[in-house]
Amino acid sequence: MNDYKSTWREKIGYGIGAVGLDLSYGLFYSYLSYYLSSVLGLKEGFLLLLTPLARIWDGINDPMMGTIVDNTKTKMGKYRPWILIGAVSNAVVLTLLFTSFGMSGTKLYIYIAVMYILWGMTNTMADIPYWSMVPSFTTDPSDRNLVATVARTFSGLGQGIITVMTPIILPLLSTGMTTDKGYSASGFSKWALICAIALVGFSLTCVLSTKEKHVVYKNNEKFSFKKMFKVLAKNDQLVVFIIFAMISNAGWYLTSGTAVYYFTDVLGEPKSQSLFSTIGAIGSVLGLLVIPILSKKMSKRSIYQFSMIMTIVGYVLMFIFGPVLKITIALDICYILASIGIASMFVAQTVFLADIVDYGEYKSGERNESITFSMKGFLQKLAYTIQTIILFGGLGIMNYNEQVTTGTINDSTKSAIGIICFAVPPVLILISLIVFSLKFKIHGELADEVHNYIVDKRQTENNN
């Protein structure tokens, strides 16, 4: 058996693509809620309605895009053309989403709804083919771990740029009517444009520096719900993955999406979020070392469980030192622990999903890379939906929008924001850990059987 491996040029080039994707992704998931509610003044009820409706469409669009990618055949391969097309489209929509053109009332609500849905569609066009490329780089488990780690490293860099730089850059770019913390619609629009340009540049670098080494084309296969449900029915581990990854991601999104409210409205120190995010970024970098270091003595399953437990402990400490004791520096320090666990968790999930693609082929004889990876994007959006329901449901109950209008956030609302940001996430992550530990079975002998089956099959195909 011979494993084909990726070069470092491909690993780095591939990782660079994640920076651009996560600039858009980070701005959407970490700041769009605040932009819509606190800057544009949209009602919480609108956002509570819009997000689930968008997910209904995503349930159709994401697997459909996966099928389109699976049936694409060009000289560049089947993934890279869509990465570039999706990146350019997403860059345009990202800029428009954060640009209101002075609209108000019904026109603004309709405009935001359309751009919101288009962002999800164009993000899917780039995200599905990007992460679907992982199995095409290498069949070697160790090399696959390394590819995923490099990609997640750059992915973290992209999100780090957003979370660290946005509180600093927005006041500098903001003109016209601003919030009491110095944010304005014009500032968000300019920052979104800068991120959009970077998204295209990084994606182009990724496309030009990578090569798809093994691609199975399946021509004339059209999307159908029957096909989608067939993939899910034959790959029980994909269903398990969707459940535990969605729940844990929702916990993380609650923190990333609510942090701007906590530092801006609760503490009244929006720039302190930059230090918080910087410390978190340090933890994320350290977290990327967890799998390579611990894999010498521990299985992927044990490392993942260890990472989740570390994350839970970090969150419990953050809640104690943050909302309870209000010792901000201690809160920041504890964020390192949680970030190490989260970073390791995301790397492991990427590796698990690549293993799940192989498991699906091992079990059914059919390989559905892009459809399977489309579920990753869909579960992330479902996780964001859970975040939105909890966040805006809580803010709506506390009448947050009215308080922003008057310029005074009461203590009850501040407490609710702290709980949503730091107390709810560890509960969700604990539930995710329990589901993973009880139901995910691609480890040990089964994992070895799947790997050997795939390598032998590829060798036979290449010989023929």
Side-chain angles (χ1 to χ4, degrees):
M1 297 186 300
N2 294 316
D3 290 320
Y4 54 92
K5 297 184 178 181
S6 59
T7 64
W8 269 106
R9 178 178 181 274
E10 290 174 314
K11 290 183 179 72
I12 299 299
Y14 178 63
I16 288 174
V19 178
L21 290 175
D22 275 87
L23 288 176
S24 174
Y25 182 88
L27 193 58
F28 182 92
Y29 284 105
S30 296
Y31 282 93
L32 180 64
S33 296
Y34 186 83
Y35 168 71
L36 297 179
S37 63
S38 297
V39 177
L40 297 187
L42 301 188
K43 300 294 185 181
E44 296 93 344
F46 166 73
L47 300 171
L48 278 172
L49 178 63
L50 174 61
T51 305
L53 289 177
R55 295 301 81 81
I56 293 174
W57 170 241
D58 288 334
I60 300 172
N61 178 64
D62 286 16
M64 184 185 297
M65 189 66 219
T67 302
I68 292 173
V69 172
D70 269 338
N71 288 283
T72 297
K73 185 176 182 180
T74 71
K75 292 182 180 180
M76 291 175 62
K78 67 179 183 179
Y79 303 118
R80 292 183 296 158
W82 283 111
I83 291 174
L84 193 55
I85 294 171
V88 173
S89 302
N90 191 237
V92 172
V93 174
L94 178 70
T95 304
L96 293 176
L97 178 60
F98 281 92
T99 304
S100 63
F101 297 104
M103 287 185 283
S104 61
T106 302
K107 288 184 179 180
L108 177 60
Y109 279 91
I110 295 174
Y111 174 78
I112 290 298
V114 172
M115 289 301 114
Y116 186 100
I117 292 173
L118 285 178
W119 184 91
M121 293 178 64
T122 54
N123 174 258
T124 292
M125 290 172 63
D127 188 71
I128 288 176
Y130 179 82
W131 293 107
S132 296
M133 283 183 69
V134 173
S136 75
F137 282 124
T138 177
T139 57
D140 179 74
S142 297
D143 195 42
R144 182 174 288 180
N145 287 347
L146 190 54
V147 170
T149 299
V150 170
R152 280 299 176 186
T153 300
F154 282 93
S155 174
L157 175 61
Q159 291 198 38
I161 291 173
I162 291 297
T163 56
V164 173
M165 298 303 298
T166 300
I168 298 173
I169 289 180
L170 273 182
L172 299 178
L173 297 177
S174 294
T175 57
M177 184 178 295
T178 65
T179 67
D180 59 342
K181 303 302 184 296
Y183 296 167
S184 75
S186 65
F188 272 103
S189 179
K190 295 171 186 176
W191 182 222
L193 176 60
I194 293 171
C195 293
I197 294 172
L199 164 59
V200 175
F202 288 129
S203 297
L204 181 61
T205 300
C206 171
V207 167
L208 295 177
S209 58
T210 56
K211 181 179 180 182
E212 300 168 33
K213 295 186 178 181
H214 180 79
V215 179
V216 179
Y217 295 106
K218 297 176 287 184
N219 298 317
N220 303 318
E221 186 176 328
K222 298 181 179 180
F223 167 80
S224 68
F225 283 107
K226 182 179 179 181
K227 169 68 175 177
M228 181 181 71
F229 287 120
K230 182 180 178 182
V231 171
L232 289 171
K234 290 186 176 182
N235 197 331
D236 58 295
Q237 294 303 286
L238 176 58
V239 177
V240 172
F241 175 85
I242 290 173
I243 295 172
F244 76 73
M246 176 184 65
I247 296 172
S248 61
N249 288 8
W252 168 245
Y253 292 161
L254 271 174
T255 301
S256 61
T258 312
V260 62
Y261 293 90
Y262 183 77
F263 285 95
T264 301
D265 295 326
V266 177
L267 299 184
E269 302 173 0
K271 290 187 178 181
S272 294
Q273 186 181 353
S274 293
L275 176 59
F276 177 77
S277 299
T278 300
I279 291 176
I282 294 173
S284 296
V285 172
L286 296 175
L288 298 171
L289 303 176
V290 169
I291 291 181
I293 292 176
L294 296 186
S295 61
K296 298 177 181 178
K297 296 183 178 181
M298 298 170 63
S299 66
K300 285 187 292 186
R301 173 186 173 84
S302 296
I303 294 173
Y304 188 73
Q305 292 170 325
F306 174 79
S307 299
M308 298 284 276
I309 293 172
M310 184 187 305
T311 302
I312 293 170
V313 172
Y315 265 109
V316 171
L317 293 175
M318 281 197 292
F319 180 70
I320 293 173
F321 288 111
V324 177
L325 299 179
K326 294 181 172 55
I327 305 176
T328 305
I329 186 62
L331 165 70
D332 293 343
I333 294 173
C334 292
Y335 191 38
I336 293 180
L337 186 62
S339 296
I340 290 174
I342 287 292
S344 177
M345 180 188 79
F346 280 139
V347 172
Q349 286 181 0
T350 303
V351 175
F352 285 147
L353 199 50
D355 292 342
I356 289 169
V357 171
D358 289 345
Y359 172 80
E361 184 175 5
Y362 164 81
K363 191 173 181 181
S364 67
E366 296 181 3
R367 189 170 185 85
N368 298 286
E369 291 177 353
S370 294
I371 289 181
T372 301
F373 272 88
S374 72
M375 297 301 171
K376 172 183 175 292
F378 185 52
L379 75 85
Q380 289 177 321
K381 293 170 184 176
L382 286 175
Y384 179 67
T385 300
I386 295 174
Q387 178 236 49
T388 301
I389 292 173
I390 296 174
L391 174 58
F392 285 109
L395 294 180
I397 292 173
M398 305 306 294
N399 295 317
Y400 171 83
N401 195 264
E402 294 180 9
Q403 294 174 46
V404 169
T405 302
T406 61
T408 302
I409 307 297
N410 63 44
D411 291 338
S412 295
T413 300
K414 291 180 180 180
S415 296
I417 291 173
I419 291 172
I420 292 171
C421 191
F422 299 113
V424 177
V427 174
L428 294 177
I429 293 170
L430 177 60
I431 295 172
S432 174
L433 174 60
I434 293 172
V435 174
F436 170 80
S437 300
L438 294 178
K439 297 297 183 180
F440 194 69
K441 64 182 184 182
I442 306 179
H443 57 89
E445 293 183 2
L446 177 58
D448 292 337
E449 288 180 17
V450 171
H451 172 253
N452 292 337
Y453 169 84
I454 295 298
V455 173
D456 288 341
K457 185 176 180 180
R458 295 294 174 268
Q459 189 171 11
T460 300
E461 291 171 346
N462 292 333
N463 290 337
N464 293 335

